[in-house]
């Protein structure tokens, strides 16, 4: 049994994208085991994958070089890995790579395609092309190790009757998020024919969605009421999820639920469309030459009018349903 120690500490959506890759890689390579080291609150993402051992860590306990050195030693002692997979490639994981290399381990790391993403998001670049998908970049790490892995890019729907529409109107950054008044109108339209379940995180989002639930019949706010396992179970039972380019799209992918995704500053070309989700279900303002101007949706609007979100007609979303 080959044991791979893999690490990716954040962001939530990016960690979620490793899950379908692990699942298909391990099905095709049953004599491999992955130790996934990440933040403790991500554990439920990996719960149903055989041959994955999840190791949750609190990074505040391992600060600086000496802290990371201690973490590396603890992981070696506990798991005795054969190979190391850096699926994050940030300063912290680069330090871990160095420590493992000096201890004689073979380390393989993701190529995030930083330069090509910078070129893609240059607003003066008018020749936008699809870049490699992030899930394929994860799979490449295992291919470099010498393993065969072919990703299906297909959803695996849960085997029970699905009902209701999930709606996650929030995202971490403004550049990824429909204006709330548009999301409110959309929820009103959707609720005429379907039960709509609201998803969100944090107190402020929960309060907004609580208000919407009171004002819009046939809606239910789930923000702040479910743990991650319960959230995944609920999304698995939905007929459809509507999400911004954010973590909820990736959660829908994990449990085989179709997702209509809304994109503003960001674009599926950067490689972050949910695993198995269809490009037909992407909603975006297509004729803006400045898009995408950001990989993560965290930039100020170059034009100053947020046209990529303000001009997006919610009827386009309704038509996908």
């Amino acid at each position: 049994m080959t044991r791979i120690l893999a690490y990716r500490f954040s962001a939530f959506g990016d960690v979620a994208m490793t899950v379908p890759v692990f699942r298909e890689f391990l099905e095709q390579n049953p004599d491999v085991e992955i130790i996934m080291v990440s933040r403790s609150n991500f554990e439920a993402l990996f719960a149903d994958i055989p041959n994955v051992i999840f190791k949750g860590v609190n990074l505040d306990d391992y600060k600086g070089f000496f802290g990371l050195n201690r973490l590396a030693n603890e992981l070696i002692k506990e798991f005795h890995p054969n190979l190391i997979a850096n699926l994050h490639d940030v300063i912290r994981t680069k330090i871990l790579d160095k420590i493992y290399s000096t201890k004689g381990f073979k380390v393989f790391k993701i190529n995030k395609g930083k330069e090509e993403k910078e070129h893609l998001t240059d607003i003066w670049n008018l020749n936008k092309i699809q870049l490699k998908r992030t899930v394929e970049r994860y799979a490449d790490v295992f291919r470099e190790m010498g393993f065969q892995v072919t990703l299906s890019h297909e959803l695996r729907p849960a085997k029970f009757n699905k009902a209701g529409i999930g709606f996650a109107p929030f995202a971490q950054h403004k550049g990824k998020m429909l204006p709330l008044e548009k999301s409110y109108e959309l929820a009103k339209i959707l609720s005429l024919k379907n039960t709509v379940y609201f998803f969100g995180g944090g107190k402020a989002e929960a309060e907004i969605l609580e208000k919407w639930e009171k004002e819009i019949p046939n809606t239910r706010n789930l923000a702040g009421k479910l743990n991650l396992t319960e959230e995944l179970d609920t999304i698995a039972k939905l007929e459809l999820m509507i999400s911004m380019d954010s973590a909820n799209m990736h959660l829908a992918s994990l449990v085989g639920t179709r997702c209509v995704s809304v994109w503003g500053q960001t674009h599926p070309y950067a490689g972050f469309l949910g695993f198995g989700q269809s490009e037909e279900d992407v909603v975006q303002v297509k004729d803006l030459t400045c898009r995408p101007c950001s990989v993560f949706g965290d930039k100020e609007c170059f034009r100053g009018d947020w046209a990529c979100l303000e001009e997006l007609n919610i009827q386009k979303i309704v038509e996908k349903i």
Side-chain angles (χ1 to χ4, degrees):
M1 177 75 77
T2 303
R3 202 171 243 197
I4 300 169
L5 180 73
Y7 33 82
R8 166 103 216 185
F9 297 113
S10 63
F12 185 45
D14 293 298
V15 175
M17 288 177 91
T18 65
V19 177
V21 180
F22 285 8
R23 186 182 284 129
E24 297 195 354
F25 166 61
L26 292 167
E27 284 170 358
Q28 293 165 41
N29 298 274
D31 54 346
V32 176
E33 198 169 52
I34 294 176
I35 313 300
M36 179 57 173
V37 185
S38 193
R39 295 175 188 269
S40 303
N41 50 329
F42 298 161
E43 182 167 9
L45 296 173
F46 300 88
D48 68 337
I49 313 181
N51 282 18
V52 171
I53 297 169
F54 184 84
K55 174 69 176 176
V57 295
N58 179 356
L59 292 168
D60 289 339
D61 297 339
Y62 300 100
K63 285 183 174 168
F65 175 81
F66 293 107
L68 290 170
N69 192 48
R70 185 162 46 83
L71 174 62
N73 287 328
E74 286 175 15
L75 293 171
I76 292 168
K77 196 174 171 189
E78 188 174 351
F79 298 110
H80 307 290
N82 306 101
L83 299 163
I84 309 293
N86 176 356
L87 303 178
H88 202 165
D89 198 28
V90 291
I91 290 171
R92 180 183 278 124
T93 61
K94 286 178 197 288
I95 293 169
L96 281 173
D97 290 356
K98 273 273 190 294
I99 293 165
Y100 282 120
S101 293
T102 37
K103 291 179 187 293
F105 287 92
K106 278 195 169 177
V107 178
F108 300 82
K109 72 173 180 185
I110 187 171
N111 172 4
K112 292 202 279 198
K114 213 161 170 246
E115 281 176 21
E116 46 199 297
K117 285 175 184 169
E118 276 171 17
H119 183 56
L120 175 71
T121 54
D122 177 351
I123 53 165
W124 306 112
N125 164 25
L126 302 183
N127 183 25
K128 314 281 192 183
I129 56 165
Q130 177 69 54
L131 303 184
K132 184 178 280 199
R133 293 187 173 196
T134 301
V135 287
E136 288 290 352
R137 292 184 188 277
Y138 286 142
D140 281 345
V141 178
F142 300 118
R143 292 179 185 126
E144 268 185 62
M145 292 175 174
F147 295 103
Q148 293 285 315
V149 51
T150 306
L151 299 181
S152 69
H153 296 287
E154 286 177 8
L155 290 176
R156 300 185 183 193
K159 292 178 175 62
F160 36 63
N161 291 338
K162 287 169 164 271
I165 291 178
F167 184 27
F170 296 99
Q172 195 178 355
H173 301 293
K174 181 181 176 178
K176 289 190 186 189
M177 209 170 97
L178 266 185
L180 282 181
E181 54 275 19
K182 282 182 186 263
S183 287
Y184 183 84
E185 285 308 309
L186 177 61
K188 274 169 57 176
I189 295 166
L190 296 173
S191 68
L192 297 174
K193 293 183 181 173
N194 309 274
T195 305
V196 179
Y197 298 90
F198 296 132
F199 292 82
K203 193 162 176 275
E205 293 180 12
E207 281 171 8
I208 292 167
L209 297 176
E210 204 67 48
K211 187 167 169 283
W212 289 13
E213 181 189 50
K214 288 192 179 85
E215 294 171 4
I216 308 172
N218 211 18
T219 63
R220 277 194 61 202
N221 169 38
L222 301 177
K225 296 180 180 175
L226 308 174
N227 64 32
L228 183 52
T229 304
E230 291 164 339
E231 193 169 333
L232 287 165
D233 286 346
T234 305
I235 295 171
K237 291 170 185 158
L238 295 172
E239 198 177 327
L240 175 74
M241 182 62 141
I242 297 171
S243 170
M244 307 303 115
D245 163 26
S246 68
N248 283 283
M249 168 178 60
H250 301 299
L251 296 186
S253 285
L254 298 201
V255 293
T257 294
R258 178 184 159 223
C259 181
V260 171
S261 54
V262 177
W263 302 68
Q265 274 193 349
T266 62
H267 196 293
Y269 279 179
F272 292 100
L273 184 63
F275 187 90
Q277 299 297 345
S278 167
E279 286 175 29
E280 296 292 307
D281 287 330
V282 168
V283 180
Q284 56 190 337
V285 179
K286 283 187 173 169
D287 51 3
L288 283 171
T289 55
C290 54
R291 284 190 65 241
C293 64
S294 171
V295 173
F296 306 112
D298 55 351
K299 290 190 180 164
E300 273 306 307
C301 174
F302 165 76
R303 295 164 44 125
D305 61 356
W306 299 96
C308 57
L309 293 159
E310 293 290 346
E311 290 180 12
L312 198 144
N313 185 346
I314 56 170
Q315 203 52 44
K316 280 179 156 185
I317 302 169
V318 177
E319 283 163 12
K320 301 281 182 196
I321 299 156

